[in-house]
């Protein structure tokens, strides 16, 4: 198994013990947030790792680590090591979730919007931003990440180019997440004037998340965005969205194409692309964990 941290935790014989561990270590500390899961309008049935721990080993593994269900179809000569560059333990994933659950002392909410850098809020906390082609599923992904936050305003539209401003979401003093306008079709006319200065000058920006639609693969506009990130010398990571929309063969082909681009044409890109589905909730917990880690809030346990 490529995910040794799930051995035992995922087995049917030890799963009841895992559920007990989750109840003892997580539930009392975040009881208010967890009770809100059932009534939160953003909630998904797998929003919390407590719910994920109740399903079968196979489904749990694929939900937490979506690449696990795909790698058996890869040829033996394919280098799989980069797909496991970030491999947290179940305990890490569980700890990361606490940063995405609000409480009286840990407020999570929309903070402000800006159309230019001189309008952007001055924030000292670590920051991450999400950028991608119009209609890549960016707002849906952010809504999934914040699905444990009742009534948070993350507007999702089927119309491409819905996001016209930089929208800032503050997670207390842990970090800030920025939803950037989409590029390509129906991008704001002042997209470059808005986004490029932010990426160039934002001193507290810890990671840029570049979203690419897994159902269509890398497009011309995505290559321009990759070149932009490389030119600015910023650390970034590729997030492959809508993996539930693509046929398995197509998805694998697109993922391998992205991996070749990362290996041969980038220096600032994290070696592992993150696979997500906002509909099925695949990969959301892993991405939460990565965000908590790169913002300096979650040192990983040794596995």
């Amino acid at each position: 198994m490529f995910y040794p941290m799930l051995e035992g935790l995922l087995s049917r014989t030890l799963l009841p013990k895992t559920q007990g561990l989750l109840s003892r270590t997580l539930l009392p500390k975040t009881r208010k947030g967890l009770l809100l899961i059932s009534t939160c309008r953003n909630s998904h049935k797998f929003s919390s790792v407590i719910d994920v721990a109740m399903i079968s080993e196979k489904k749990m593994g694929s939900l937490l680590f979506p690449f696990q269900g795909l790698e058996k179809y890869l040829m033996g000569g394919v280098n799989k090591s980069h797909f496991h560059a970030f491999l947290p333990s179940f305990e890490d994933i569980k700890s990361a979730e606490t940063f995405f659950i609000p409480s009286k002392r840990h407020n999570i909410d929309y903070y402000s919007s800006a159309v230019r850098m001189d309008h952007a809020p001055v924030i000292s906390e670590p920051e991450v931003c999400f950028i991608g082609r119009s209609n890549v599923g960016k707002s849906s992904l952010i809504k999934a990440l914040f699905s444990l936050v009742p009534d948070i305003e993350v507007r999702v539209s089927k119309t491409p180019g819905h996001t016209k401003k930089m929208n800032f979401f503050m997670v207390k003093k842990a970090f800030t997440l920025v939803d950037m306008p989409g590029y390509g079709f129906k991008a704001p006319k002042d997209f470059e004037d808005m986004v490029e200065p932010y990426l160039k000058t934002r001193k507290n920006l810890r990671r840029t998340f570049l979203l690419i639609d897994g159902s269509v693969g890398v497009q011309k506009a995505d290559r321009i965005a990759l070149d932009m990130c490389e030119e600015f010398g910023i650390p970034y990571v590729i997030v492959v969205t809508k993996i539930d929309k693509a046929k398995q063969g197509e998805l694998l082909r697109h993922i391998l194409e992205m991996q070749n681009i990362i290996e041969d044409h980038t220096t600032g890109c994290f070696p592992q692309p993150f696979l997500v589905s906002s509909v099925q909730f695949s990969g959301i917990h892993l991405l939460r964990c990565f965000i908590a880690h790169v913002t300096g809030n979650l040192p990983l346990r040794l596995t």
Side-chain angles (χ1 to χ4, degrees), residues 62 166 192 263 289:
S62 295
M166 298 182 288
E192 292 184 6
E263 291 180 6
C289 192

Side-chain angles (χ1 to χ4, degrees), residues 132-134 183-185 210-213 216-228 257 261:
R133 192 166 52 85
S134 297
Y183 54 77
F185 181 64
L210 177 57
L211 278 57
I212 296 179
D213 189 336
V216 299
V218 180
Q219 303 293 294
K220 182 179 179 180
D222 298 321
R223 290 184 178 272
I224 294 174
L226 283 162
D227 291 341
M228 179 179 65
E257 179 189 9
I261 292 173

Side-chain angles (χ1 to χ4, degrees), residues 26 208 212 236:
L26 180 60
T208 295
I212 296 179
Y236 65 103

Side-chain angles (χ1 to χ4, degrees), residues 10-71:
L10 288 177
S11 67
R12 294 182 179 277
T13 56
L14 292 182
L15 189 56
K17 295 182 180 180
T18 305
Q19 294 168 358
L21 178 64
L22 287 169
S23 299
R24 290 194 303 273
T25 60
L26 180 60
L27 192 55
K29 295 179 183 178
T30 57
R31 185 179 301 276
K32 181 178 179 181
L34 289 173
L35 287 176
L36 287 170
I37 292 173
S38 60
T39 59
C40 177
R41 69 183 183 186
N42 297 328
S43 184
H44 186 279
K45 65 179 180 179
F46 293 133
S47 288
S48 172
V49 290
I50 289 182
D51 300 314
V52 176
M54 305 298 179
I55 62 179
S56 69
E57 174 181 343
K58 184 178 180 180
K59 289 182 178 179
M60 182 179 179
S62 295
L63 193 70
L64 295 178
F65 303 97
F67 187 71
Q68 178 180 353
L70 295 172
E71 61 185 345

Side-chain angles (χ1 to χ4, degrees), residues 10-303:
L10 288 177
S11 67
R12 294 182 179 277
T13 56
L14 292 182
L15 189 56
K17 295 182 180 180
T18 305
Q19 294 168 358
L21 178 64
L22 287 169
S23 299
R24 290 194 303 273
T25 60
L26 180 60
L27 192 55
K29 295 179 183 178
T30 57
R31 185 179 301 276
K32 181 178 179 181
L34 289 173
L35 287 176
L36 287 170
I37 292 173
S38 60
T39 59
C40 177
R41 69 183 183 186
N42 297 328
S43 184
H44 186 279
K45 65 179 180 179
F46 293 133
S47 288
S48 172
V49 290
I50 289 182
D51 300 314
V52 176
M54 305 298 179
I55 62 179
S56 69
E57 174 181 343
K58 184 178 180 180
K59 289 182 178 179
M60 182 179 179
S62 295
L63 193 70
L64 295 178
F65 303 97
F67 187 71
Q68 178 180 353
L70 295 172
E71 61 185 345
K72 62 184 177 182
Y73 298 106
L74 295 177
M75 297 178 64
V78 175
N79 182 8
K80 303 175 184 177
S81 61
H82 288 169
F83 293 100
H84 310 294
F86 183 72
L87 202 58
S89 69
F90 187 85
E91 290 294 320
D92 292 324
I93 293 174
K94 185 179 67 174
S95 297
E97 182 173 292
T98 62
F99 291 99
F100 293 84
I101 299 176
S103 66
K104 288 183 178 180
R105 296 185 178 182
H106 185 68
N107 187 50
I108 303 173
D109 208 349
Y110 164 80
Y111 185 67
S112 69
S113 297
V115 293
R116 297 197 309 268
M117 267 306 293
D118 56 355
H119 291 172
V122 178
I123 298 171
S124 60
E125 284 75 28
E127 203 160 85
V128 295
C129 76
F130 281 54
I131 189 171
R133 192 166 52 85
S134 297
N135 206 34
V136 74
K138 181 165 46 64
S139 296
S140 294
L141 175 57
I142 294 173
K143 187 173 182 179
L145 290 170
F146 288 137
S147 60
L148 295 174
V149 184
D151 302 321
I152 192 168
E153 290 294 333
V154 182
R155 296 184 179 181
V156 178
S157 173
K158 293 182 179 180
T159 304
H162 177 75
T163 304
K164 300 295 185 183
K165 302 177 181 180
M166 298 182 288
N167 297 317
F168 294 77
F169 297 88
M170 184 167 286
V171 183
K172 189 55 176 175
K173 294 184 178 180
F175 62 88
T176 302
L177 188 153
V178 187
D179 181 8
M180 307 294 281
Y183 54 77
F185 181 64
K186 288 194 175 181
K189 293 181 179 179
D190 53 352
F191 175 85
E192 292 184 6
D193 296 334
M194 189 188 317
V195 174
E196 290 190 8
Y198 171 87
L199 295 177
K200 283 181 179 179
T201 64
R202 196 68 167 176
K203 294 182 179 180
N204 60 329
L205 180 61
R206 295 292 180 266
R207 193 78 52 156
T208 295
F209 290 77
L210 177 57
L211 278 57
I212 296 179
D213 189 336
S215 65
V216 299
V218 180
Q219 303 293 294
K220 182 179 179 180
D222 298 321
R223 290 184 178 272
I224 294 174
L226 283 162
D227 291 341
M228 179 179 65
C229 291
E230 289 292 318
E231 179 185 346
F232 297 161
I234 58 176
Y236 65 103
V237 59
I238 290 177
V239 179
V240 185
T241 64
K242 300 185 181 181
I243 61 173
D244 57 294
K245 301 290 185 182
K247 294 181 179 178
Q248 204 166 61
E250 283 183 336
L251 180 60
L252 277 171
R253 179 166 55 83
H254 294 154
I255 291 171
L256 291 177
E257 179 189 9
M258 294 177 208
Q259 192 61 48
N260 288 335
I261 292 173
I262 292 172
E263 291 180 6
D264 298 336
H265 302 287
T266 73
T267 57
C269 187
F270 190 72
Q272 175 181 336
F274 286 79
L275 280 57
V276 297
S277 167
S278 302
V279 175
Q280 298 176 342
F281 225 75
S282 303
I284 302 299
H285 299 92
L286 184 64
L287 193 59
R288 282 177 180 164
C289 192
F290 187 73
I291 292 171
H293 177 61
V294 297
T295 53
N297 291 289
L298 183 70
L300 298 185
R301 295 172 175 83
L302 295 176
T303 55

